[in-house]
Amino acid sequence: MLLEVDDLCVNYGRIEAIRNISFTIDEGEIVTLIGANGAGKTTTMKTVSGLRPVRQGTIKFQGQDITAMPPHERPVLGIAQSPEGRGCFIGMTVQENLDMGAYARPDRKSPKIGQDRDRVFGLFPRLAERRTQVAGTMSGGEQQMLAMGRALMANPKLLLLDEPSMGLAPKLIQQIFDIITEINNQGTTVLLVEQNAAQALKRADRAYILETGEIVREGSGKELANDPAVKAAYLGGDV
């Protein structure tokens, strides 16, 4: 088991954002969390990466309890996040952004960094073309690619992707999801938070549905995509 979340509760002040959720991720999987706005998806992601404190419950990564581990230590273990809203360093170039993704790696001065950068450029040829361009002058789609590439530069065992298709044109959405599948095929486990439920379920090995901070349904991506209630609530009646 790569990630185990057990009985997790997270508050924003007195408001319960997540209540008693439990889920697991096995090595090599794509697991997706879907749900409406405010369901607790991003809060779950932030809590796994250490950006939200846990009121109750545990988070284990490769069997190690990381519930109280500071967020800056988690990339060293192998957890990296591409956040909602991308969060690129807008005054830095593409290559500088990518290099920031490797800041926590003990081997950051080794040739392996260059190899991983080449891997990112292979996945995102647009970034290779724009390696000297300042991130703030790039399109939203290009910045999304950069945020994902920066997270990959941490050489993660678990890649957290929060709303990677948000605000993108349909053609680019398809491309982003194809790249997510390729990242997984290359050996990186993925936890995906996504409002595009059709694409997310199509790519996911397993999925969890959140409503008002609780997991209300789980199953394989295919099972949930074919579930009439899920179709009606999240897929517009069809996949």
Side-chain angles (χ1 to χ4, degrees), residues 4 16 19 32 43 64 68 114 128 145 166 170 201 206 234:
E4 299 172 78
E16 283 187 311
R19 287 188 299 278
T32 189
T43 299
Q64 178 181 348
M145 295 177 186
M166 181 181 288
L201 292 175
R206 293 186 302 109
Y234 301 104

Side-chain angles (χ1 to χ4, degrees), residues 8-12 15-19 43 47 52-56:
L8 192 68
C9 298
V10 177
N11 281 31
Y12 285 90
I15 299 172
E16 283 187 311
I18 299 173
R19 287 188 299 278
T43 299
T47 307
R52 293 298 310 170
V54 173
R55 180 173 65 80
Q56 176 184 306

